[in-house]
């Protein structure tokens, strides 16, 4: 009887290594699909010849499928929602959400050019995920929160809101490029392959509203989670401050859009500020330490 | 069968000649029936537009005779001496004729490269010729292929995509900003011809909410009535500026009617909604400074002209790609035509042989006396089989594509037929 635990442990270790190898292969294949998507969407945007969109489209669909399988495999491997503590989990989920958002937008608006602007981000996120493999143990500070159903809600909602804000940022950039060409009256042929200003503005404003709702809910669930554990909503964590700042910024954009008709240029400009804040909070907060040290 | 083309276009003939040689659509039936006499010319199509007159024919006779015949037809039809018109005419035969038709249909030979109208005109000319029974198997095949080639050129190259007129460029910019014009408000300032043209272009591009204003309300009203638009007095311009999405300006006045401050005031009321101002008047009626205002996009006639010129250069580049598509299609078409001819020759030859064997049998049938039905069937089967075996090596020879062999065989068949008739 005494041998049983060791046996179980050995077989578990074996299973675990299979999981890890499988996950790493999946991630590599996902990265490959996204690189194909990135390469072809840029070629199609920049090439003189008009080309069919089938390659980047299928690459992003296949990539999304592989990415999804990776998330499921990872969840099975660690036995929890795979959204914590590791750059790998976090960035691969962000890439997943961005590709999903792109595909939904593509089927709504047929915006091929969006791929060429979004895929660099997708590729970068997945590259980070691939370069920094997950540790097997989550950071000690956040242990104990996994059991709560609030935890996955908190992280998933916030990351989805980030993806929406990234889309807003990207269409904001597309808007500004086109606006500059319209004002200077010099048009590159890329100009005619981009969606109209109205479409950019519409995709951006939808992303803004969706992102804002998700962020608000995500932050609320985070506070509830903390309140449940320690009886406090807030504990002066640097990431919390940045999140609050981000929230206030997007609130401000929505407010101004509604009241004084902030559209196009200004909204596009502030979406870039918002994007920088989010990137700062994703990457920078690591250096401040604290509760959200990831 | 040879395909020949005689024609003239804006590239070879000035307007005075083109209008004299045009064949009006109500006289097309006469023209086609006298052109396609079914003796020298078997099939014919006449295309007559303001930029070209082209006579496409299919005939059994050699090209020079047909060209002579078609020239004669033109001179007779228009009652002009042949020397007077022949310097303006070009003639193409065989591959060159087919290539020319493909090029015309794909709008590579048009005055405005890539314009879509010519294909419709050609389709029209074709269906009229079909209607009057002037089209047979060869031109039918050629025209079907031509329409397919034109479509291919249009979808695979960018020859027809960009705007090459000022009005079209304005619409294109509006679509680039507003996506679709259906729910957009378009205001026209001025009631001149140029203004009317531009507004009509917006209308055909889907805009329905149109407003016209002009210094004299009567002018505005009469233009508005003809375009199903509404007319407003010029004094209501400021209110309309606050509401509208696109403003087309085409008036002449002493000083600009839209100074930057006026546009700025309108933008204030619009709460930043995007405004497109297109000024096609000379001198300019819109302050160029307006372009610096946020969410205002302003273009004058030179800006639009620059867009048009850039697009024209783009079309010329695309024309090179279109040409290579056409070269491929011409050789594909001739390969098909050849195998079609070959198929006809094979069938003709086999039928002829069977018919001859059958006749010989019938002639000598009586000498065989009474045969049981089975026996008679065996004899017939034997004749069929011998004929097939004799014909087979000849047909196998036909399948290799050497034109000389085919020609020899065709002569052989004709000889056989000739002998048989004697």
């Amino acid at each position: 009887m005494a041998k049983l635990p060791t046996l179980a442990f050995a077989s578990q270790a074996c299973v675990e290594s299979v999981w890890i190898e499988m996950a790493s292969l999946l991630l590599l294949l996902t990265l490959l699909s996204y690189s194909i998507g990135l390469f072809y969407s840029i070629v199609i945007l920049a090439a003189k010849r008009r080309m069919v969109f089938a390659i980047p489209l299928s690459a992003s669909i296949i990539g999304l499928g592989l990415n999804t399988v990776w998330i499921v495999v990872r969840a099975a491997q660690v036995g929890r929602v795979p959204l914590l503590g590791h750059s790998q989990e976090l960035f691969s989920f962000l890439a997943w959400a961005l590709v999903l958002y792109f595909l939904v937008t593509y089927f709504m608006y047929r915006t091929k050019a969006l791929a060429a602007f979004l895929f660099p981000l997708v590729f970068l996120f997945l590259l980070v995920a691939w370069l920094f493999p997950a540790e097997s143990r989550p950071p000690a500070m956040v242990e104990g929160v996994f059991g709560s159903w609030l935890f996955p809600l908190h992280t998933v909602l916030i990351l989805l809101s980030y993806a929406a804000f990234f889309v807003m940022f990207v269409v904001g950039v597309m808007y500004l490029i086109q606006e500059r060409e319209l004002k200077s009256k010099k048009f590159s042929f890329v100009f005619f392959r981009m969606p109209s200003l109205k479409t950019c503005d519409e995709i951006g404003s939808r992303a803004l509203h969706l992102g804002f709702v998700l962020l608000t809910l995500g932050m609320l669930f985070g506070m509830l989670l903390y309140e449940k554990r320690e009886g406090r909503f807030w504990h002066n964590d640097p990431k919390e401050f940045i999140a609050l700042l981000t929230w206030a910024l997007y609130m401000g954009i929505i407010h101004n859009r509604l009241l004084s008709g902030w559209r196009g240029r200004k909204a596009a400009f502030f979406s870039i500020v918002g994007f920088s804040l989010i990137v700062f909070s994703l990457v920078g907060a690591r250096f401040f330490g604290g509760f959200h040290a990831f | 069968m040879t395909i020949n083309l005689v024609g003239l276009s804006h590239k070879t003939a000035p307007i005075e000649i083109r209008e004299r040689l045009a064949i009006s659509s109500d006289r097309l039936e006469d023209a086609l029936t006298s052109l396609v006499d079914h003796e020298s010319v078997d099939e014919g199509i006449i295309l007559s537009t303001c930029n070209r007159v082209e006579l496409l024919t299919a005939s059994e006779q050699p090209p020079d005779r047909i060209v002579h015949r078609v020239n004669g037809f033109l001179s007779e039809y228009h009652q002009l001496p042949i020397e007077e018109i022949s310097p303006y005419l070009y003639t193409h035969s065989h591959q060159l004729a087919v290539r020319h038709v493909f090029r015309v249909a794909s709008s590579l030979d048009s005055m405005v490269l890539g314009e879509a109208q010519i294909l419709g005109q050609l389709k029209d000319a074709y269906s009229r010729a079909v209607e009057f029974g002037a089209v047979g198997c060869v031109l039918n095949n050629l025209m079907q292929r031509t329409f397919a080639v034109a479509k291919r050129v249009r979808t695979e190259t960018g020859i027809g995509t960009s705007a090459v007129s000022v009005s079209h460029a304005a619409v294109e910019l509006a679509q680039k900003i507003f996506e679709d014009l259906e729910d957009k408000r378009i205001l026209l300032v001025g009631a001149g011809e140029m203004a009317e043209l531009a507004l009509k272009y917006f209308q055909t591009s889907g805009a329905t909410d149109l407003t016209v204003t002009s210094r004299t309300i009567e002018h505005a009203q009469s233009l508005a009535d003809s375009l199903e638009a509404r007319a407003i007095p010029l004094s209501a311009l400021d209110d309309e500026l606050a509401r509208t999405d696109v403003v087309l300006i085409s008036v002449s006045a002493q000083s600009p009617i839209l100074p930057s401050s006026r546009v700025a005031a309108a933008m204030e009321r619009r709460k930043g909604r995007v405004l497109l101002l297109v000024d096609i008047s000379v001198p300019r009626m819109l302050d160029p400074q307006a372009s610096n205002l946020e969410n205002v996009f302003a273009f004058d006639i030179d800006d639009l002209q620059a867009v048009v010129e850039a697009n024209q250069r783009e079309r010329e580049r695309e024309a090179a790609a279109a040409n290579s598509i056409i070269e491929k299609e011409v050789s594909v078409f001739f390969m098909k035509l050849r195998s079609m001819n070959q198929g006809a020759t094979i069938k003709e030859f086999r039928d002829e042989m069977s018919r001859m064997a059958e006749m010989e049998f019938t002639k000598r049938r009586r000498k065989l006396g009474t045969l049981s039905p089975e026996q008679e069937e065996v004899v017939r089967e034997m004749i069929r089989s011998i004929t097939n075996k004799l014909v087979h090596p000849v047909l196998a020879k036909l399948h290799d594509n050497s034109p000389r062999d085919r020609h020899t065989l065709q002569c052989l068949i004709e000889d056989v037929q000739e002998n048989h008739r004697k």
Side-chain angles (χ1 to χ4, degrees):
Chain A
M1 285 305 274
K3 266 187 174 176
L4 213 61
T6 25
L7 252 177
F9 181 74
S11 75
Q12 202 183 336
C14 179
V15 166
E16 205 163 286
S17 84
V18 170
W19 276 132
I20 287 172
E21 267 180 35
M22 192 171 150
S24 125
L25 181 68
L26 274 168
L27 206 61
L28 187 64
L29 288 175
T30 313
L31 185 65
L32 191 72
S33 303
Y34 289 161
S35 352
I36 294 172
L38 171 69
F39 178 74
Y40 275 97
S41 55
I42 289 176
V43 164
I44 287 175
L45 182 75
K48 280 265 162 191
R49 289 255 65 79
R50 293 202 289 170
M51 292 161 74
V52 284
F53 196 61
I55 296 176
L57 188 64
S58 31
S60 44
I61 292 172
I62 293 168
L64 185 73
L66 289 166
N67 205 341
T68 313
V69 177
W70 181 85
I71 292 172
V72 172
V73 167
R74 176 75 186 163
Q77 182 196 335
V78 295
R80 56 172 168 80
V81 180
L83 272 182
L84 197 99
H86 313 295
S87 315
Q88 185 171 61
E89 294 177 354
L90 194 135
F91 282 103
S92 124
F93 184 78
L94 271 177
W96 179 86
L98 275 182
V99 175
L100 182 67
Y101 207 118
F102 162 71
L103 285 172
V104 171
T105 316
Y106 176 76
F107 287 114
M108 280 171 75
Y109 295 94
R110 302 276 148 189
T111 45
K112 297 174 188 170
L114 182 61
F117 288 84
L118 212 50
F119 264 95
L121 273 180
V122 170
F123 176 76
L124 189 74
F125 288 165
L126 212 77
L127 190 67
V128 170
W130 191 67
L131 287 178
F132 302 99
E135 303 130 34
S136 53
R137 284 169 58 80
M141 294 197 71
V142 285
E143 262 183 71
V145 295
F146 303 128
S148 170
W149 57 274
L150 285 168
F151 171 71
L153 273 178
H154 166 60
T155 47
V156 168
L157 288 176
I158 287 200
L159 288 178
L160 285 177
S161 84
Y162 283 1
F165 291 138
F166 288 166
V167 171
M168 184 197 176
F169 156 72
V170 163
V171 291
V173 170
M174 287 166 82
Y175 187 101
L176 289 180
I177 292 175
Q178 294 190 76
E179 197 212 26
R180 209 188 58 190
E181 295 203 6
L182 278 166
K183 290 271 187 190
S184 71
K185 289 149 192 173
K186 287 194 178 65
F187 305 106
S188 59
F189 62 93
V190 174
F191 173 83
F192 292 101
R193 294 193 181 164
M194 287 205 240
S196 65
L197 288 187
K198 185 207 159 207
T199 306
C200 287
D201 200 49
E202 202 172 296
I203 296 173
S205 96
R206 287 194 166 174
L208 169 67
H209 292 125
L210 179 70
F212 186 73
V213 171
L214 293 172
L215 181 67
T216 311
L217 289 174
M219 283 168 69
L220 279 176
F221 284 124
M223 287 189 215
L224 274 177
L225 179 68
Y226 196 66
E227 200 270 341
K228 253 183 140 180
R229 236 163 57 108
E230 295 185 14
R232 275 193 300 161
F233 284 110
W234 186 266
H235 48 18
N236 295 331
D237 183 73
K239 198 156 191 161
E240 289 176 357
F241 280 115
I242 299 175
L244 196 66
L245 199 61
T246 312
W247 186 86
L249 177 86
Y250 284 109
M251 179 75 216
I253 300 176
I254 292 181
H255 177 86
N256 277 306
R257 254 188 105 87
L258 289 177
L259 279 178
S260 41
W262 256 25
R263 260 153 224 284
R265 193 186 163 73
K266 270 185 200 148
F269 177 74
F270 279 98
S271 75
I272 294 173
V273 178
F275 173 75
S276 327
L277 263 179
I278 292 174
V279 170
F280 182 61
S281 108
L282 275 174
V283 182
R286 186 177 282 273
F287 303 108
F288 297 121
F291 183 76
H292 283 97
F294 42 83
Chain B
M1 196 61 112
T2 61
I3 297 168
N4 292 291
L5 183 133
V6 175
L8 74 161
S9 73
H10 59 97
K11 287 187 177 160
T12 60
I15 179 81
E16 304 83 58
I17 301 295
R18 295 202 309 269
E19 59 193 12
R20 279 167 75 190
L21 286 178
I23 294 166
S24 66
S25 111
D26 47 324
R27 291 178 63 201
L28 196 62
E29 186 172 1
D30 292 345
L32 273 170
T33 33
S34 64
L35 174 70
V36 183
D37 54 4
H38 294 289
E39 275 171 33
S40 52
V41 176
D42 296 314
E43 305 175 29
I45 292 172
I46 298 176
L47 171 71
S48 177
T49 72
C50 50
N51 280 332
R52 63 181 68 245
V53 177
E54 312 238 355
L55 299 102
L56 180 66
T57 56
S59 164
E60 294 285 1
Q61 293 185 9
D64 43 343
R65 270 180 44 204
I66 295 308
V67 169
H68 186 75
R69 157 98 177 73
V70 175
N71 282 359
F73 159 79
L74 269 176
S75 117
E76 211 171 288
Y77 186 84
H78 293 290
Q79 300 187 331
L80 291 164
I82 209 158
E83 315 70 72
E84 204 172 300
I85 58 173
S86 55
Y88 302 106
L89 297 176
Y90 45 78
T91 58
H92 299 295
S93 301
H94 307 293
Q95 265 95 338
L96 295 179
V98 170
R99 182 199 288 147
H100 182 81
V101 174
F102 285 177
R103 282 178 53 88
V104 168
S106 311
S107 195
L108 291 174
D109 200 50
S110 301
M111 201 178 240
V112 178
L113 200 62
E115 52 99 8
Q117 227 177 1
I118 184 67
L119 184 58
Q121 289 163 331
L122 190 60
K123 280 184 175 167
D124 228 40
Y126 167 65
S127 62
R128 293 297 296 277
V130 169
E131 192 184 315
F132 303 134
V135 175
C137 173
V138 174
L139 289 193
N140 213 340
N141 265 300
L142 174 60
M143 290 325 275
Q144 295 312 327
R145 199 63 227 149
T146 305
F147 300 145
V149 169
K151 193 177 167 199
R152 201 182 144 199
V153 165
R154 204 147 274 277
T155 48
E156 287 179 26
T157 71
I159 189 127
T161 46
S162 47
V164 285
S165 72
V166 166
S167 309
H168 189 178
V171 167
E172 200 177 84
L173 285 169
Q175 283 167 337
K176 203 72 203 28
I177 294 168
F178 297 112
E179 184 73 37
D180 90 68
L181 300 174
E182 210 173 311
D183 56 344
K184 291 292 169 280
R185 225 176 147 102
I186 320 287
L187 169 68
L188 174 66
V189 184
E193 205 176 326
M194 191 73 175
E196 188 181 338
L197 229 113
L199 193 62
K200 267 192 187 145
Y201 214 96
F202 271 84
Q203 202 170 28
T204 51
S205 307
T208 52
D209 191 351
L210 312 172
T211 310
V212 181
T213 181
S214 162
R215 247 166 313 173
T216 40
I217 183 78
E218 291 77 25
H219 281 163
Q221 192 61 56
S222 75
L223 180 57
D225 290 344
S226 73
L227 290 172
E228 288 175 32
R230 81 186 142 260
I232 57 163
L234 197 57
S235 55
L237 182 60
D238 281 319
D239 288 334
E240 192 55 31
L241 275 180
R243 272 197 297 264
T244 193
D245 299 291
V246 179
V247 185
L248 298 167
I249 309 152
S250 177
V251 284
S252 57
Q254 292 303 317
S255 60
I257 58 165
L258 275 182
S260 189
S261 57
R262 198 169 183 184
V263 180
M267 285 316 283
E268 200 65 31
R269 287 172 66 186
R270 298 171 64 84
K271 291 199 168 172
R273 264 192 316 124
V274 169
L275 178 66
L276 170 63
L277 301 162
V278 178
D279 182 12
I280 51 175
S281 14
V282 180
R284 287 180 291 180
M285 287 298 119
L286 171 68
D287 184 352
Q289 293 299 318
S291 190
N292 298 333
L293 293 166
E294 195 172 325
N295 291 330
V296 173
F297 297 104
F299 296 90
D300 62 33
I301 186 100
D302 274 8
D303 300 331
L304 295 179
Q305 205 66 53
V307 172
V308 166
E309 272 160 31
N311 287 346
Q312 260 157 357
R313 284 194 295 276
E314 176 70 24
R315 282 190 179 202
E316 275 154 30
R317 276 194 293 275
E318 290 296 307
N323 270 327
S324 74
I325 292 178
I326 284 175
E327 287 309 317
K328 274 182 217 134
E329 288 283 353
V330 169
S331 54
V332 168
F333 177 76
F334 269 87
M335 254 158 69
K336 221 183 107 195
L337 196 68
R338 201 177 295 150
S339 68
M340 212 168 73
N341 280 342
Q342 191 173 297
T345 316
I346 289 173
K347 193 177 177 312
E348 211 176 308
F349 186 60
R350 187 184 304 231
D351 289 353
E352 190 60 33
M353 291 299 160
S354 308
R355 212 164 52 85
M356 276 164 60
E358 186 72 20
M359 270 175 77
E360 292 303 313
F361 176 64
T362 321
K363 235 194 299 187
R364 289 168 179 79
R365 169 69 185 83
R366 241 182 312 152
K367 290 186 181 159
L368 283 170
T370 41
L371 293 172
S372 72
E374 289 84 24
Q375 283 174 320
E376 177 148 354
E377 187 48 43
V378 170
V379 175
R380 282 184 186 279
E381 181 56 43
M382 194 175 72
I383 293 169
R384 269 200 296 273
S385 153
I386 292 172
T387 321
N388 279 342
K389 286 218 165 82
L390 286 175
V391 168
H392 182 76
V394 183
L395 295 187
K397 192 86 179 151
L398 251 180
H399 272 291
D400 75 42
N401 263 331
S402 145
R404 230 179 75 205
D405 283 353
R406 222 176 30 253
H407 185 71
T408 322
L409 273 170
Q410 252 153 5
C411 293
L412 181 79
I413 294 166
E414 275 161 29
D415 283 353
V416 169
Q417 287 170 337
E418 202 74 8
N419 279 332
H420 196 74
R421 266 181 225 122
K422 275 177 193 163

